[in-house]
């Protein structure tokens, strides 16, 4: 049951000492009510109040941070079962797995790839998030050496996959202060693993053969003092994953089973179809996904799906309306009108850049709708185009009066001409043909 | 404590029959009963519910088809009977979806050829069929009637009804006892409205499949995914006007920028991966018929569905 800010306030020390980082106890209470701060930040709270508050105010799924620095990422803190109810906030980290028996060259190659590879979609750089290194050799030295190779090359979040505490300790001498994720504590070894995780302040994966076992294990590990937990459901089939993962998400967000309020880990590389497992993990609540280094065909699809599922469908990614330049356009350069949906903007911009003809892009405010969608919804009108030309001072930027509109906006061409006094040229429907079109039709 | 999922669903998805065997008055070697789900996809704990169906899409005028598929399938694309036969015995699909792209030619009027094409596909495969009729309101009525007639007794699935044009197709379906695909642009309320329109002119609920429109991966899939989830959710909550099985056809997938511009060495792989990823995610969101255009996507989906229907669905002891 969530508490209201005022109920929370009643339980606070009311010293208004600001030590929690908030100006007053009341503002701290308001933040707690929204799950936006942590009870532990107030040093003066009595234990009874703390017990009540931490159970009810922390986010239903704990936020767990992996790595440090620029490439670190946080997972958890999700609130819904369906993305349309709100949105999903923290996209899963996808990390490439390598065995410590690989050659240093192989390890280096994967590290460099994860460090450098990025794939830009809709103006956003999509990347893989880190490296999982497995102690396949069984030797602590091998494991440590592999970690050393990675650490010398990149500051990437790591997952240390080992069952031998000695191997972990050896590896942690190289990366212990960089918050690697340790995989995995089990009912048999959790005390030792917790001690190591606690010593280095690392998040810890707990691995259980059932939901019951995981709930018990999380209780045991928090008792040992490790709070940053991630749960490996060790599924044997996709169905087992989807059932367990959905169960855990539901029981966590309703706060019926606070012991399950942790992000989920999925090792896709041990599932029979890795690609499918990744798709499943992205769609159904996995927060850390491990896979072998993916071929580029799979890599793009996986990153695009992740971007899609973690985009809020209620708010399309938008550009600020305005006059944008491609290259260094002069007074005679063409002006191409389009909508402020990011996908449309970046698609058109990409093709315009490859034509190498400097030009202007006039971006009008269709509230983030694509061309066809905006036309169908009546969000793209001659009045909008006329006002945008005025507002962004296009008349002073160019000496001609010609406007190229998207092919799909052709039903509006007459009305735009009338409203603006500009000559309208209807461009192709597909932006891929814009180069050819400009080449043939744009003669100044 | 028992760690169980608990939803307070009150309804189930309506069952729809596709195809008809000899015993059922048709000539198909098998027929499918889809729908019947009582919870979210793949959470069903009882055995026996079937995996989503995979439909392979073909057409009778390949000029309108992706060059990737044309290259891969070779000469088959020029003979839709042979193509259908290969989709059945070679590619291993569950259904064939025939697009009568020939009707898209300007001033198309050769209606008898439509009947012949449908008959040739019916005789070349004994799988249940989906037929996509005309794209042009002026010839809709004749084309759909011809399809309906040619497939009489076979319980075809006819496509595609939209809010502005659903009468001809519904009439053909009702006359010959076929089912209809009802497509609306990625919106739960529009899907519902169209189903109500179809109901009002007499098409029964168990003859409708919802197509919420699948935007391709990276080009609208984020909306389609949620539209599918919401339709399933509303259906289970008791909205009978949305309680029909869903079909997913990501028709634009093979033409998105990432695939069109991929190098020849990798283009097939990328196309398959994007189609596969979209189809699998759509199935997770609630689609029960997944349409594909690349033959290599079929075995991948098949294998993934098997694992999603493994029956190993315990949450792991109490
Ligand atoms: C995703 C989507 C949505 C999303 C919105 C996405 C968004 N931000 O716009 C949602 C679900 C919200 C939506 C809603 C609707 N949609 Co919608 N939607 C789509 C879908 C699947 C993809 C659109 C997209 O993202 N395209 C990609 C972008 C990049 O395309 P684009 O902007 O057109 O840009 C291309 C070209 O136009 C060109 N181009 C762009 N700018 C320029 C400029 C110049 C100068 C040139 C030369 C070229 C050029 O280059 C780009 C690449 O080639 C399309 C189907 C489709 N395949 O197009 C339907 C579609 C556009 N939607 C449709 C409809 C009817 C609607 C609704 C009106 C339905 C309704 N009543 O609710 C609403 C309207 C919106 C509203 N009122 O809120 C119909 C339109 C029918 C028509 N032909 O008019 C479509 C075609 C679906 C269909 N087949 O029925 N939709
Ligand atoms: S630290 Fe505690 S007592 Fe001090 S202002 Fe914050 S909530 Fe109040």
């Amino acid at each position: 049951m969530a508490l209201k800010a005022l109920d929370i306030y009643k339980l606070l020390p009311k010293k208004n000492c600001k030590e929690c980082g908030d100006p007053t106890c009341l503002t701290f209470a308001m933040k707690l009510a929204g799950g936006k701060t942590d009870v532990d930040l107030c040093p003066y709270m009595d234990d009874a109040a703390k017990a009540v508050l931490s159970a009810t105010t922390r986010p239903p799924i704990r936020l767990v941070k992996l790595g440090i620095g620029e490439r670190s990422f946080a997972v958890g803190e999700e609130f819904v079962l369906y993305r349309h109810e709100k949105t999903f906030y923290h996209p899963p980290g996808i990390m490439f797995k390598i065995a410590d028996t690989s050659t240093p060259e192989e390890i280096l190659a994967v590290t460099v790839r994860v460090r450098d590879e990025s794939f830009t979609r809709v103006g956003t750089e999509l990347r893989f998030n880190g490296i999982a290194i497995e102690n396949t050799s069984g030797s602590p030295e091998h494991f440590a050496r592999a970690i050393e190779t990675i650490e010398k090359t990149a500051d990437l979040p790591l997952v240390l996959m080992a069952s031998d505490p000695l191997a972990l300790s050896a590896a942690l001498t190289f990366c212990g202060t960089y918050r690697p994720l340790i995989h995995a504590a089990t009912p048999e070894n959790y005390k030792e693993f917790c001690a190591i995780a606690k010593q280095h302040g690392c998040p810890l994966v707990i691995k259980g053969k059932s939901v019951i076992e995981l709930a018990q294990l999380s209780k045991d590990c928090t008792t040992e003092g490790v709070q940053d937990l991630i749960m490996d459901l060790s599924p044997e089939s996709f169905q087992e994953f989807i059932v367990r993962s959905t169960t855990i998400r539901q029981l966590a967000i309703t706060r019926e089973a606070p012991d399950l309020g942790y992000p989920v880990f999925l090792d896709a590389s041990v599932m029979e179809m890795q690609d499918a497992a990744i798709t499943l993990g992205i769609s159904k609540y996995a927060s850390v996904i491990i896979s072998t280094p993916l071929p580029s065909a799979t890599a793009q699809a996986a990153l695009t799906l992740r971007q899609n599922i973690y985009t809020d469908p209620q708010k399309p990614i938008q550009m600020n309306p305005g006059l944008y330049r491609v290259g260094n356009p002069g007074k005679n350069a063409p002006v191409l009108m389009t909508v402020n949906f990011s996908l449309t903007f970046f698609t058109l911009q990409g093709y315009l850049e490859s034509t190498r003809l400097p030009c202007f892009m006039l971006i009008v405010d269709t509230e983030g709708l694509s061309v066809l969608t905006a036309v169908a919804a009546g969000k793209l009108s001659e009045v909008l185009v006329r006002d945008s030309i005025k507002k962004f001072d296009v008349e002073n930027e160019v000496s001609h009066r010609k406007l190229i509109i998207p092919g799909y906006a052709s039903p509006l061409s007459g009305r735009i001409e009338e409203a603006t006094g500009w000559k309208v040229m209807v461009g192709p429907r597909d932006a891929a043909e814009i180069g050819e079109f400009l080449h043939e039709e744009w003669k100044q | 404590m028992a760690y169980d999922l608990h939803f307070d669903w009150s309804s189930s998805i309506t069952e729809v029959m596709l195809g008809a065997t000899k015993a059922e008055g048709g000539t198909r070697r098998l027929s499918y009963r889809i729908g019947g789900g009582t919870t979210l996809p793949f959470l069903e704990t009882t055995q026996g519910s079937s995996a989503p169906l995979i439909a392979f899409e073909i057409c009778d005028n390949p000029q309108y088809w992706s060059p990737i598929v044309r290259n891969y399938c070779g000469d088959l694309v020029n003979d839709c009977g042979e193509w259908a036969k290969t989709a059945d015995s070679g590619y291993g699909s569950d259904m064939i979806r025939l697009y009568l792209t020939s009707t898209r030619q300007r001033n198309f009027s050769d209606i008898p050829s439509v009947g012949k094409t449908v008959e040739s596909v019916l005789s070349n495969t004994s799988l249940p069929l989906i037929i996509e009729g005309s794209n042009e309101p002026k010839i809709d009525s004749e084309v759909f009637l011809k399809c309906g007639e040619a497939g009489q007794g076979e319980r075809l699935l006819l496509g595609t009804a939209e809010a502005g044009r659903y009468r001809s197709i519904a009439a053909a379906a009702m006359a010959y006892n076929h089912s209809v695909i009802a497509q609306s642009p990625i919106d739960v309320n529009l899907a519902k409205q169209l189903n109500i329109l179809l109901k009002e002119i007499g098409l029964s609920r168990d003859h409708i499949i919802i197509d919420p429109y699948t935007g391709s991966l990276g080009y609208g899939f984020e909306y389609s995914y949620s539209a599918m989830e919401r339709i399933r959710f509303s259906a289970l909550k008791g909205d009978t006007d949305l309680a029909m099985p869903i079909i997913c056809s990501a028709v634009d997938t093979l033409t998105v920028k990432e695939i069109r511009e991929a190098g020849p060495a990798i283009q097939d792989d990328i196309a398959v991966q994007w189609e596969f990823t979209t189809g699998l995610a759509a199935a997770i969101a609630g689609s029960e018929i997944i349409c594909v255009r690349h033959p290599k996507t079929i075995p991948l989906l098949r294998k993934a569905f098997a694992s999603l229907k493994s029956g190993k669905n315990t949450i792991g002891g109490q």
Side-chain angles (χ1 to χ4, degrees), chain A residues 82-84 121 210-212 215 237-240 247 250 256 272-273 275 283 296 308 313 316 351 430, chain B residues 3 5-6 40 42 218 222-223 226 230 233 258 260-261 266 273 300 307-308 310-312 315-316 318:
Chain A
Y82 297 104
R83 56 200 282 280
H84 63 255
R121 285 203 84 264
S210 70
V211 174
I212 295 249
S237 69
F238 292 163
Q239 183 154 42
E240 213 162 67
T247 305
Q250 188 187 52
E256 278 168 75
E272 211 188 327
M273 287 178 87
D275 311 347
S283 310
S296 66
N308 275 184
Y351 287 115
D430 188 338
Chain B
Y3 295 107
L5 270 170
H6 45 82
L40 299 182
F42 309 112
E222 64 270 51
Y223 303 96
S226 279
R230 294 181 70 173
F233 182 86
E258 285 78 0
R260 228 172 22 194
E261 293 177 1
I266 184 179
Q273 275 304 327
L300 297 180
S307 185
L308 276 163
S310 65
K312 280 198 190 135
I315 59 168
Q318 296 300 310

Side-chain angles (χ1 to χ4, degrees), chain A residues 61-64 74-78 89-90 262-263 287:
Chain A
I61 298 174
R62 188 178 174 88
L63 188 75
V64 177
V75 291
E77 224 172 78
E78 301 290 349
Y89 290 97
H90 297 97
Y262 299 94
S287 286

Side-chain angles (χ1 to χ4, degrees), chain B residues 89-168:
Chain B
S89 57
Y91 309 155
S93 74
D94 295 319
M95 294 185 85
I96 309 288
R97 187 182 197 183
L98 168 67
Y99 282 76
L100 294 165
T101 41
S102 59
T103 64
R104 294 187 195 170
Q105 281 153 309
R106 205 180 286 239
N107 300 324
F108 175 85
S109 61
D110 187 5
I111 304 295
S113 74
V114 166
K116 285 200 201 96
T117 308
V118 173
E119 277 158 20
S120 123
V121 172
L122 277 167
S123 63
N124 272 285
T125 170
S126 50
L127 290 176
L129 291 195
I130 307 174
I131 311 276
E132 280 297 323
S134 107
N135 245 359
E136 170 52 57
K138 269 190 282 180
I139 54 169
D140 272 357
S141 179
E142 284 177 286
V143 170
F144 286 124
L145 274 177
K146 195 83 214 164
C147 297
E149 187 194 347
Q152 187 164 12
E154 304 285 6
R155 272 188 186 268
L156 303 177
L157 178 56
L158 295 178
T160 291
E162 295 170 47
R165 42 192 290 256
Y166 58 89
R167 291 180 184 274
S168 313

Side-chain angles (χ1 to χ4, degrees), chain A residues 12-25 28 41-44:
Chain A
L12 295 180
K14 305 188 193 65
K15 290 160 90 84
N16 294 328
C17 66
K18 304 188 174 54
E19 285 181 44
C20 53
D22 274 290
T24 63
C25 294
F28 185 64
L41 291 174
C42 169
Y44 303 108

Side-chain angles (χ1 to χ4, degrees), chain A residues 313 316-317 336-339 341 343-345 347-348 351 367-377 379 404-408 426-432 434 437, chain B residues 162 183-187 190 213-216 218-224 252 260:
Chain A
I317 314 177
L336 298 103
M337 186 272 287
T338 194
V339 296
F341 181 35
L343 181 62
T344 308
F345 173 87
T347 309
L348 181 64
Y351 287 115
E367 296 162 31
L369 293 184
S370 73
V371 176
L372 252 184
T373 319
V375 171
K379 288 272 154 68
I404 304 174
I405 67 169
Y408 284 124
V426 178
R429 291 183 162 192
D430 188 338
I434 194 68
F437 173 85
Chain B
E162 295 170 47
Q183 188 192 76
S184 44
I186 329 183
D187 184 295
L190 295 180
Y213 192 97
T214 307
S216 347
Y219 295 84
F221 188 67
E222 64 270 51
Y223 303 96
S224 298
D252 297 331
R260 228 172 22 194

